[in-house]
Amino acid sequence: MPLQLKAPAATPARGVDPAVRDTVAAIIDDVRARGDDAVRELSARFDAWTPDTFRLDADQVEQIVATVPAQTIADIRTVQANVRRFAEHQRASLRDFEVETAPGVLLGQRNIPVAAAGAYVPGGRYPLVASAHMTIVTAKTAGVARVAACTPPIRGQVPAATVAAMHLAGADEIYLLGGVQAVAALALGTASIPAVDILSGPGNAYVAEAKRQLFGEVGIDLLAGPTEILVIADEHADPFVVAVDLLSQAEHGPDSPAVLITTSAELGREVLAHVARILPGMPTRDYAGPAWRDHGQVIVVADLDEAYRLADEFASEHVQVLTRQPRKALERMRNYGALFLGEGTCVSYGDKVIGTNHTLPTRRGARFTGGLWVGRYLKTVTYQEVVDPAASVDLGRLCGRASRVELFEGHARSGDVRAAKYAGDPLPWAAADGGEARSAQVTAEAAR
């Protein structure tokens, strides 16, 4: 049995808070009914923000970008180049094709970008500049023609670096608008904000719930909850590095789980001691402290095989592997949003700069989905063409038999008429005077 050196003080939340659900539903209904008027009132209520228009024009964007330090602009360009490069490799891995599966039977696949995407870039506790890279750059690399991006004002101020990131990423429209009202406006459309086909980007519990309720009317990337980190460490890991990396993710919010699974009880105790020393001095301790107290865990297991099995049960958003042979995790694990292998990397690289996407599944969603990527903005569609009459005859007869097993007579008849047209098969279900049957047979004879 694993040894738990630190257990969580709180039980993880399950399901949606009814108060959040009801609040979100009311806001969506209001935006649906009143459009821009509702959006303006909600923005005034929640953000004290009521400009003449929420959309920034080209001159406003240029003026805002000009206020951002040159080094910040250079860094944004570098990070976006990293994200774009990786996204381009993802796009290249998806190919259109056409194959002849039988003589005269052509089947094909195409990957078509959605027409319009909405990118939500949060700005509550922190101006999450990196989310602009992950949503907008990825959508544009996929080939999305129109990307509308929303971010809230922060305490009544324009988040200049975020606007710069949106602009440099290639956003076609930038709106200073946040919260459920922004998500609802993008999904439903208003007089001033045309609707999009898919919503992407992280957000607080209200934004996540809005995406859940709107899914079906609009596509979404995924439902993301509080940020998670799970570290797998053996006796070769540096306990100070482990402690720092755990706390790096705990600062996302007071409900962010940070879990260590280790094969060394000694390392586990040293990590706890380091956390106790580091945490009081963190500027973000108001978030990291409750997260570690309520959702932090340190678990000691017998060996790395057990560590990998347990980590797969957690199915964490981020899994950092600090072991002597970190690449073993690629062979042994299957449930994670993203893997970070070895001491030379860390989850923060993935969050901010390295180029892989940081919008990832949480709350065990990694059991059935990966994170945001180019493919999420593409519709993989198929087409079919039968150019050989003999092939259509074979398929028609097969379709007739298969459809009647399922009692779908109409489907069967679509197959029958082709077998009749191209091979003269009888149509016993046709009209009593045989007109349709004779017509099909005459056509078949003419074709021959």
Side-chain angles (χ1 to χ4, degrees), residues 213-264:
Q213 292 190 21
L214 290 162
F215 177 60
E217 293 185 76
V218 68
I220 64 171
D221 50 359
L222 71 165
L223 294 173
T227 294
E228 303 164 350
I229 182 173
L230 185 148
V231 176
I232 298 173
D234 62 14
E235 69 276 13
H236 301 285
D238 183 332
F240 180 72
V241 170
V242 174
V244 169
D245 288 348
L246 288 168
L247 291 175
S248 74
Q249 297 302 298
E251 75 176 359
H252 273 274
D255 49 1
S256 288
V259 178
L260 168 62
I261 300 175
T262 180
T263 56
S264 169

Side-chain angles (χ1 to χ4, degrees), residues 112-135:
I112 303 173
V114 300
Y120 186 78
V121 182
R125 297 188 183 108
Y126 313 110
L128 291 183
V129 175
S131 287
H133 319 327
M134 307 302 173
T135 52

Side-chain angles (χ1 to χ4, degrees), residues 115-445:
Y120 186 78
V121 182
R125 297 188 183 108
Y126 313 110
L128 291 183
V129 175
S131 287
H133 319 327
M134 307 302 173
T135 52
I136 301 167
V137 171
T138 307
K140 281 299 183 183
T141 303
V144 178
R146 171 182 167 244
V147 177
C150 284
T151 196
I154 299 178
R155 293 177 290 277
Q157 300 297 312
V158 175
T162 302
V163 171
M166 290 171 151
H167 171 65
L168 295 173
D172 300 286
E173 302 159 22
I174 298 175
Y175 298 90
L176 279 183
L177 181 65
V180 176
Q181 60 271 21
V183 173
L186 287 170
L188 303 173
T190 71
S192 65
I193 304 176
V196 299
D197 301 311
I198 187 171
L199 293 168
S200 63
N204 62 19
Y206 291 89
V207 168
E209 173 61 10
K211 289 167 68 177
R212 189 188 69 80
Q213 292 190 21
L214 290 162
F215 177 60
E217 293 185 76
V218 68
I220 64 171
D221 50 359
L222 71 165
L223 294 173
T227 294
E228 303 164 350
I229 182 173
L230 185 148
V231 176
I232 298 173
D234 62 14
E235 69 276 13
H236 301 285
D238 183 332
F240 180 72
V241 170
V242 174
V244 169
D245 288 348
L246 288 168
L247 291 175
S248 74
Q249 297 302 298
E251 75 176 359
H252 273 274
D255 49 1
S256 288
V259 178
L260 168 62
I261 300 175
T262 180
T263 56
S264 169
E266 180 181 358
L267 179 129
R269 294 186 183 95
E270 290 180 13
V271 168
L272 287 170
H274 281 303
V275 169
R277 285 191 292 269
I278 297 168
L279 188 52
M282 288 184 67
T284 51
R285 60 185 175 275
D286 288 350
Y287 301 137
W292 180 249
R293 179 194 66 218
D294 293 341
H295 304 288
Q297 297 187 59
V298 176
I299 303 169
V300 181
V301 294
D303 53 37
L304 285 175
D305 286 341
E306 187 178 3
Y308 296 138
R309 286 195 299 270
L310 184 57
D312 267 346
E313 291 178 18
F314 273 92
S316 182
E317 177 187 17
H318 306 106
V319 176
Q320 191 166 328
V321 185
L322 298 175
T323 63
R324 185 168 56 180
Q325 294 180 298
R327 293 183 69 86
K328 288 287 186 182
L330 289 171
E331 304 168 10
R332 303 303 303 276
M333 289 192 63
R334 64 188 305 128
N335 296 337
Y336 51 84
L339 274 181
F340 300 83
L341 302 175
E343 188 178 88
T345 187
C346 60
V347 174
S348 296
Y349 287 178
D351 281 348
K352 306 299 182 186
V353 297
I354 206 167
T356 49
N357 207 292
H358 76 192
T359 305
L360 300 166
T362 63
R363 292 179 172 170
R364 303 190 72 228
R367 292 174 297 122
F368 54 81
T369 188
L372 179 60
W373 70 300
V374 158
R376 201 59 63 98
Y377 294 103
L378 298 171
K379 300 173 293 180
T380 300
V381 298
T382 61
Y383 62 91
Q384 306 81 36
E385 183 180 17
V386 181
V387 297
D388 184 340
S392 190
V393 169
D394 289 342
L395 288 169
R397 292 168 178 166
L398 177 61
C399 180
R401 294 192 301 272
S403 298
R404 289 188 172 98
V405 168
E406 297 179 347
L407 307 182
F408 274 83
E409 181 63 23
H411 286 63
R413 291 179 180 188
S414 286
D416 292 349
V417 295
R418 284 158 178 83
K421 184 168 187 176
Y422 298 130
D425 284 18
L427 295 176
W429 47 265
D433 65 3
E436 290 86 346
R438 285 197 302 273
S439 174
Q441 289 164 353
V442 168
T443 303
E445 289 169 3

